[in-house]
Amino acid sequence: MINLDHQPPFAAGYNRTCYRHPGDPQLCLKVLRPENIEARFARQPWYKKLLGRDRINDNRQEIIAHRQIKGLPDPEQAWRHLPRFHGSVDTTLGPANVSELITEADGGPGITLERYLETNGRTPDIERAIAQFTDWLRQLGLLTRNLLPHNLVVARRDQQLTLYLVDGLGAPAVPTQLAAVPAYRRRYIERKLARFQQRIDWEVHGRPGSWARAEKL
């Protein structure tokens, strides 16, 4: 069991907290925040509660999401824009998903696309990185949830910026089943990419109004 009791996280979201692996700083450990999972479950309507807590367990859903990579003609291509995934381990804070830690040149954790856009705006380098990421997603046909800038990390690889999707791989159960139809899969991915571009525009323009309103425009 990996001891994380006295180690501060390097990042935290609502559902999970991220730690560097104490035995291998090149790995990231994603640990659930059970108190927030319970609060999220409590807010669910009764008919969704019938489906249980597993559907909002991000670690479990992430493991399921990575199964789609095995069906690719060349699974190695998935890691061009995804951190390599190494399954689950036990820690003193609970089960953790293990993945490659995307780092800067100095070895520190990479910055998010959200932070990059806030600091630099839409530079030619980041526009190129976004285009490469979206082309990759179309080419491989991987299913994702909404693509949010805080779930993508920017890193410099081979002298150019590269985007890595560190959270949000996979789709809900119904779209995943329907995606067996190629035309539906293409439409689903295009909708996610269109919303991604819309979200980037909203971020770059200073987040005018709420995102819930902006995405409906």
Side-chain angles (χ1 to χ4, degrees), residues 2 17 22 29 41 53 59 64 70 75 77 82 88 96 100 102 108 118 131 147 153 172 175 190 199-200 208:
I2 298 170
T17 306
L29 300 173
F41 183 76
R53 289 172 174 78
N59 277 0
I64 293 172
K70 296 179 181 179
Q77 291 301 310
L82 287 174
S88 179
E100 173 190 7
I102 305 302
E118 180 183 351
L147 296 164
V153 167
E190 288 302 325
R199 177 65 182 239
I200 290 172

Side-chain angles (χ1 to χ4, degrees), residues 49-113:
K49 287 182 178 178
L50 294 177
L51 301 175
R53 289 172 174 78
D54 281 348
R55 60 180 294 277
I56 58 173
N57 181 323
D58 285 10
N59 277 0
R60 182 177 184 276
Q61 295 303 318
E62 186 173 62
I63 291 170
I64 293 172
H66 276 85
R67 294 174 186 169
Q68 62 184 310
I69 294 171
K70 296 179 181 179
L72 296 175
D74 182 4
E76 192 65 22
Q77 291 301 310
W79 311 121
R80 288 167 49 200
H81 296 280
L82 287 174
R84 290 184 180 272
F85 187 67
H86 301 289
S88 179
V89 297
D90 290 327
T91 79
T92 52
L93 300 181
N97 279 5
V98 187
S99 62
E100 173 190 7
L101 179 62
I102 305 302
T103 59
E104 302 271 19
D106 63 2
I111 65 169
T112 64
L113 177 59

Side-chain angles (χ1 to χ4, degrees), residues 17-199:
T17 306
C18 299
Y19 299 83
R20 290 191 92 145
H21 193 303
D24 186 344
Q26 299 304 310
L27 296 178
C28 169
L29 300 173
K30 298 177 182 178
V31 181
L32 291 174
R33 305 179 70 174
E35 71 282 3
N36 289 351
I37 297 295
E38 287 301 315
R40 184 178 167 191
F41 183 76
R43 294 194 299 269
Q44 300 284 304
W46 67 268
Y47 55 88
K48 288 189 176 181
K49 287 182 178 178
L50 294 177
L51 301 175
R53 289 172 174 78
D54 281 348
R55 60 180 294 277
I56 58 173
N57 181 323
D58 285 10
N59 277 0
R60 182 177 184 276
Q61 295 303 318
E62 186 173 62
I63 291 170
I64 293 172
H66 276 85
R67 294 174 186 169
Q68 62 184 310
I69 294 171
K70 296 179 181 179
L72 296 175
D74 182 4
E76 192 65 22
Q77 291 301 310
W79 311 121
R80 288 167 49 200
H81 296 280
L82 287 174
R84 290 184 180 272
F85 187 67
H86 301 289
S88 179
V89 297
D90 290 327
T91 79
T92 52
L93 300 181
N97 279 5
V98 187
S99 62
E100 173 190 7
L101 179 62
I102 305 302
T103 59
E104 302 271 19
D106 63 2
I111 65 169
T112 64
L113 177 59
E114 178 183 67
R115 178 63 60 84
Y116 183 96
L117 293 172
E118 180 183 351
T119 304
N120 304 287
R122 298 186 76 151
T123 64
D125 281 349
I126 203 63
E127 290 286 10
R128 189 180 306 110
I130 291 169
Q132 289 176 345
F133 173 79
T134 57
D135 287 348
W136 164 85
L137 199 62
R138 288 189 180 100
Q139 178 186 353
L140 269 62
L142 292 174
L143 301 179
T144 70
R145 297 179 185 268
N146 288 335
L147 296 164
L148 302 173
H150 62 263
N151 287 337
L152 288 112
V153 167
V154 182
R156 189 166 293 277
R157 298 289 185 267
D158 299 324
Q159 305 304 312
Q160 65 179 12
L161 297 183
T162 300
L163 291 183
Y164 289 87
L165 182 65
V166 298
D167 196 6
L169 184 67
V174 172
T176 296
Q177 293 174 354
L178 293 175
V181 179
Y184 177 89
R185 180 181 289 266
R186 288 192 296 270
R187 287 196 300 271
Y188 180 91
I189 292 171
E190 288 302 325
R191 287 198 303 270
K192 294 302 179 185
L193 291 176
R195 183 169 290 184
F196 178 44
Q197 293 292 347
Q198 189 178 358
R199 177 65 182 239

